[in-house]
C-alpha cells in the first residue's frame, strides 16, 4: 500500500495562488465582493481528485492573496436536479428577487444543474448572511432546458442603464442573453456568435460587462471560453468588444482575440459587487486545460486558480483591446531582490523577474533551470515577432502537457519589450505589452528553478512576492 504522506506533492503547493486543501477543483464560480470580503466559489468534487460529483466549494479573502477555505456552499443533488455546474453570483442590492430577509441584501447565485441524464437547467441559490451559507431556491429551475445538450454557465450582471438583470448563457457554441427584473423570471433576448471568433465544440463560461477606457469611452466586453481550439491546443479564452443595447450584443470585430495565449487559463470570469465603489473588473481563471486536467501530478489537491487580474481597456494600433495584469493586491507584495552575477533566484517564495530587451537585437531568450536539468525557456522569436513559452523540459511532461506555446506581439511599432514573469511553485505567468499579451502555464519541476540565463543583452530586475500573512 502506498503511504499517502510520500504521495503528497508539497513542493508544488503555490504560495500566492488559490488551491483547495484537497480534491478536485475546476472553474471559478459565483465570485462576489460584499462587506469587504471577496468570495470565490469553485467547481469542486469533495469525494475525489477527478472531475465529477460537482458541488460549489467556497473560499474567502479580504485581499485576494490569503484565502480561507470554507464549507461547501452548494451541494449536488444527484437524484434530483443534479450536479452543480458553473455560474455567477450578484449582490441583489434592492432585493428585487424578494429572497432577502429585509436586513442585508441577499447574494443570489445563478448556476446550472446538470442531471444524471445530462439535462442542463438554470437554478438559483441565495445567501441571507453575506455569503456564509446558501439556500437553494424552492422553485428551481428558473430556466428550463429547451431540448439542447449544452445549455449552461449563467453569469448575471445588473444593467444600470436599462434597470434590468442580464444573463449571459453558453448554449452549444453560441451565447444566449436573457433579461429579468427579479432574477427569477427570465425572458430570452438575443443570441450572439455566428461568424464571430473561434468556435470549437462548445462555448462555455461567458461574462458580459461594461468597461470604460482611460479616455472615458464605455464599451461592453464579452468573455467566452471555448473547448477545444484554444490558441495553443485544448481549451482557451477569447473576448469580444462591442456594444450592448439592453437586448443585443454587437461585437466591433469578427476576428478572434485571445485573452491569454498560455495553455492554462480557462473558464475565467470577473467579480461582481466591486463596481459601485471602485469600477474595477477583477478576473480569475482556472489554471488548467481539459486536455490533461484530470492527470496533473499534484496530491492531495488537483487544480488551482490563476493570479487575480485587473481587466482594463487599452487603445492600441489595432483599436480598443482588453489587457489583463496582476491586481494591485499582488503587486503590493513586491520587494526588490538583488540579483548576483549568477542570476540566482529567490527561494521559498513566489517571485517576479522583469526582463526588458530591444527587439532590434533579434532573437532573445531567458532560461530558468534547476539542479535536475529541468528548464523553462521563454523566448522572443524575431522572425515571427512572437513570444514563445517552452515547457517541454520544465519537469513533469505527460498527457500532451509538453508543448511550446506562442503569442504574437501586437504593438508592431514598439522596439522595447518588457516581460514580467511571475513564477510560483507550479506555475509561470508572463505579462507583456502592458497586459495585452499574456501566457499562463502550469509547470511541475522536481525542485524549484534556482537560476536563470539570458542569451542577449537585457535589463533585468527581480522581486520577491511574499505573502505576509500565513494562515
Ligand atoms: C468548463 C465547464 C463548464 C461546466 C463545468 C463543469 O470548464 O465545462 O462549462 O459548467 O466545467 O464542471
Amino acid at each position: 500500500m502506498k503511504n499517502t504522506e510520500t504521495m503528497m506533492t508539497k513542493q508544488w503547493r503555490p504560495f500566492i495562488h488559490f488551491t483547495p486543501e484537497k480534491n478536485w477543483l475546476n472553474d471559478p464560480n459565483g465570485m462576489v465582493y460584499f462587506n469587504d470580503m471577496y468570495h470565490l466559489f469553485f467547481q469542486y468534487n469533495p469525494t475525489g481528485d477527478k472531475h465529477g460529483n460537482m458541488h460549489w466549494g467556497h473560499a474567502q479573502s479580504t485581499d485576494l492573496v490569503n484565502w480561507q477555505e470554507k464549507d461547501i456552499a452548494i451541494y449536488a443533488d444527484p437524484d434530483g436536479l443534479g450536479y452543480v455546474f458553473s455560474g455567477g453570483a450578484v449582490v441583489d442590492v434592492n432585493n428585487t428577487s424578494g429572497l432577502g430577509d429585509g436586513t442585508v441584501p441577499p447574494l443570489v447565485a445563478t448556476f446550472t444543474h446538470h442531471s444524471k441524464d445530462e439535462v442542463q437547467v438554470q437554478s438559483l441559490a441565495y445567501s441571507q448572511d453575506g455569503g456564509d451559507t446558501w439556500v437553494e431556491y424552492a422553485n428551481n429551475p428558473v430556466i428550463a432546458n429547451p431540448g439542447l445538450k449544452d445549455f449552461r454557465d449563467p453569469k448575471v450582471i445588473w444593467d444600470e442603464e436599462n434597470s434590468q438583470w442580464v444573463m449571459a448563457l453558453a448554449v452549444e457554441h453560441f451565447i444566449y442573453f436573457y433579461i429579468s427584473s427579479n432574477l427569477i423570471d427570465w425572458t430570452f433576448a438575443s443570441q450572439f456568435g455566428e461568424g464571430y471568433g473561434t468556435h470549437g465544440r462548445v462555448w462555455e463560461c461567458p461574462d458580459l460587462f461594461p468597461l470604460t477606457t482611460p479616455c472615458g469611452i464605455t464599451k461592453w466586453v464579452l468573455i467566452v471560453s471555448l473547448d477545444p481550439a484554444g490558441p495553443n491546443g485544448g481549451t482557451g479564452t477569447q473576448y469580444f468588444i462591442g456594444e450592448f443595447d439592453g437586448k443585443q450584443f454587437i461585437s466591433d470585430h469578427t476576428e478572434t482575440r485571445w485573452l491569454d495565449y498560455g495553455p492554462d487559463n480557462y473558464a475565467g470570469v470577473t467579480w461582481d459587487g466591486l463596481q459601485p465603489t471602485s469600477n474595477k473588473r477583477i478576473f480569475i481563471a482556472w489554471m488548467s486545460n481539459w486536455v490533461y486536467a484530470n492527470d496533473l501530478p499534484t496530491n492531495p489537491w488537483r487544480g488551482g486558480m490563476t493570479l487575480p487580474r485587473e481587466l482594463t481597456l487599452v487603445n492600441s494600433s489595432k483599436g480598443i483591446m482588453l489587457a489583463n495584469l496582476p491586481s494591485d493586491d499582488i503587486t503590493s507584495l513586491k520587494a526588490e531582490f538583488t540579483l548576483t552575477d549568477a542570476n540566482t533566484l529567490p527561494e521559498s517564495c513566489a517571485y517576479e523577474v522583469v526582463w526588458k530587451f530591444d527587439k532590434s537585437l533579434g532573437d532573445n531568450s531567458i532560461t530558468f533551470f534547476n539542479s535536475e536539468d529541468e528548464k523553462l525557456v521563454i523566448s522572443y522569436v524575431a522572425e515571427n515577432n512572437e513570444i514563445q513559452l517552452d515547457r517541454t523540459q520544465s519537469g513533469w511532461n505527460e498527457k500532451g502537457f509538453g508543448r511550446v506555446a506562442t503569442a504574437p506581439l501586437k504593438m508592431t511599432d514598439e522596439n522595447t519589450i518588457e516581460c514580467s514573469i511571475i513564477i510560483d511553485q507550479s506555475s509561470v505567468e508572463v505579462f507583456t505589452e502592458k497586459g495585452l499579451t499574456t501566457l499562463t502555464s502550469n509547470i511541475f519541476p522536481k525542485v524549484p528553478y534556482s537560476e536563470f540565463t539570458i542569451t542577449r543583452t537585457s535589463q533585468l530586475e527581480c522581486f520577491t512576492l511574499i505573502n505576509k500573512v500565513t494562515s
Side-chain angles (χ1 to χ4, degrees):
M1 209 177 85
K2 277 189 185 161
N3 172 346
T4 7
E5 192 58 37
T6 58
M7 282 166 53
M8 302 249 186
T9 56
K10 289 201 187 89
Q11 76 274 23
W12 292 323
R13 181 73 84 178
F15 291 110
I16 57 167
H17 290 77
F18 176 73
T19 49
E21 194 198 325
K22 59 179 189 205
N23 290 325
W24 167 273
L25 163 152
N26 61 296
D27 315 354
N29 294 151
M31 291 116 75
V32 64
Y33 179 76
F34 184 68
N35 272 353
D36 303 326
M37 189 63 87
Y38 291 92
H39 293 275
L40 168 65
F41 302 91
F42 47 90
Q43 287 289 280
Y44 188 58
N45 178 357
T47 53
D49 62 4
K50 294 216 186 281
H51 185 256
N53 188 26
M54 300 323 294
H55 292 54
W56 270 25
H58 182 196
Q60 62 181 37
S61 170
T62 52
D63 58 9
L64 291 171
V65 179
N66 294 282
W67 291 99
Q68 190 193 2
E69 197 172 339
K70 310 276 291 177
D71 292 341
I72 284 171
I74 310 178
Y75 284 80
D77 177 17
D79 297 322
L81 287 173
Y83 300 101
V84 187
F85 273 20
S86 290
V90 291
V91 184
D92 183 8
V93 180
N94 298 319
N95 196 17
T96 61
S97 61
L99 296 172
D101 63 3
T103 58
V104 281
L107 305 188
V108 180
T110 49
F111 63 91
T112 299
H113 262 129
H114 174 94
S115 78
K116 271 184 180 162
D117 305 328
E118 304 204 343
V119 177
Q120 301 185 338
V121 296
Q122 315 320 321
S123 292
L124 304 182
Y126 57 95
S127 171
Q128 295 179 328
D129 59 8
D132 271 355
T133 58
W134 292 76
V135 179
E136 286 193 40
Y137 175 58
N139 297 322
N140 280 335
V142 292
I143 302 182
N145 188 296
L148 298 165
K149 181 170 180 289
D150 296 299
F151 187 71
R152 58 176 176 270
D153 306 341
K155 177 80 164 67
V156 170
I157 51 153
W158 176 249
D159 168 11
E160 189 69 49
E161 204 170 318
N162 300 292
S163 297
Q164 61 180 4
W165 297 103
V166 179
M167 176 194 289
L169 188 74
V171 182
E172 302 183 320
H173 51 108
F174 303 106
I175 303 302
Y176 281 14
F177 296 104
Y178 291 80
I179 51 182
S180 171
S181 60
N182 61 5
L183 292 163
I184 291 169
D185 304 300
W186 291 95
T187 310
F188 173 79
S190 65
Q191 157 176 354
F192 169 79
E194 182 97 57
Y196 288 86
T198 298
H199 282 261
R201 188 180 55 84
V202 276
W203 277 10
E204 299 184 311
C205 300
D207 194 4
L208 174 78
F209 50 86
L211 209 56
T212 303
T213 67
C215 317
I217 300 168
T218 298
K219 302 293 289 183
W220 285 75
V221 178
L222 177 65
I223 292 178
V224 177
S225 285
L226 77 162
D227 181 22
N232 280 292
T235 42
T237 302
Q238 61 191 326
Y239 69 87
F240 301 91
I241 294 181
E243 306 294 337
F244 181 70
D245 64 5
K247 284 204 165 117
Q248 210 173 356
F249 173 77
I250 298 182
S251 173
D252 292 348
H253 55 101
T254 52
E255 90 276 3
T256 306
R257 295 183 179 180
W258 298 112
L259 188 139
D260 189 290
Y261 289 84
D264 297 309
N265 185 321
Y266 195 59
V269 288
T270 62
W271 255 274
D272 189 84
L274 282 167
Q275 295 72 34
T277 48
S278 75
N279 217 25
K280 277 190 180 174
R281 276 281 152 196
I282 307 286
F283 167 95
I284 204 167
W286 175 37
M287 196 156 48
S288 195
N289 189 313
W290 277 118
V291 171
Y292 41 68
N294 275 288
D295 300 298
L296 291 185
T298 56
N299 180 327
W301 81 98
R302 185 175 278 137
M305 299 299 173
T306 63
L307 287 177
R309 302 174 185 190
E310 183 168 353
L311 301 182
T312 53
L313 291 180
V314 174
N315 273 316
S316 78
S317 49
K318 301 228 163 110
I320 298 175
M321 304 197 85
L322 190 67
N324 70 98
L325 285 172
S327 78
D328 299 347
D329 311 82
I330 301 300
T331 48
S332 69
L333 306 175
K334 277 168 78 156
E336 200 155 347
F337 177 82
T338 310
L339 288 168
T340 61
D341 287 346
N343 287 331
T344 307
L345 291 162
E347 283 172 37
S348 307
C349 64
Y351 55 86
E352 175 187 20
V353 174
V354 180
W355 175 43
K356 209 168 163 186
F357 57 90
D358 283 350
K359 290 205 280 190
S360 55
L361 295 172
D363 291 356
N364 203 342
S365 66
I366 182 165
T367 302
F368 296 84
F369 59 94
N370 63 16
S371 53
E372 299 281 331
D373 271 347
E374 294 167 333
K375 59 180 184 180
L376 167 72
V377 188
I378 298 164
S379 316
Y380 169 64
V381 181
E383 195 186 351
N384 307 334
N385 193 35
E386 69 186 16
I387 299 289
Q388 283 190 355
L389 190 152
D390 179 351
R391 66 175 178 188
T392 53
Q393 297 172 72
S394 63
W396 185 83
N397 182 13
E398 291 171 32
K399 312 275 176 186
F401 186 80
R403 45 188 295 172
V404 180
T406 56
L409 292 172
K410 301 180 181 66
M411 310 286 223
T412 39
D413 40 353
E414 276 184 24
N415 184 37
T416 305
I417 292 293
E418 182 169 328
C419 281
S420 149
I421 303 166
I422 297 185
I423 296 188
D424 202 340
Q425 296 298 82
S426 46
S427 63
V428 51
E429 285 158 285
V430 181
F431 299 90
T432 186
E433 298 191 303
K434 302 191 169 69
L436 285 180
T437 305
T438 64
L439 293 113
T440 303
S441 176
N442 281 308
I443 40 169
F444 300 102
K446 284 196 196 85
V447 294
Y449 304 125
S450 47
E451 284 169 56
F452 68 88
T453 52
I454 42 159
T455 49
R456 275 183 207 276
T457 317
S458 309
Q459 252 175 279
L460 294 160
E461 278 178 294
C462 186
F463 301 90
T464 57
L465 292 163
I466 297 189
N467 173 2
K468 305 262 168 8
V469 185
T470 44
S471 48

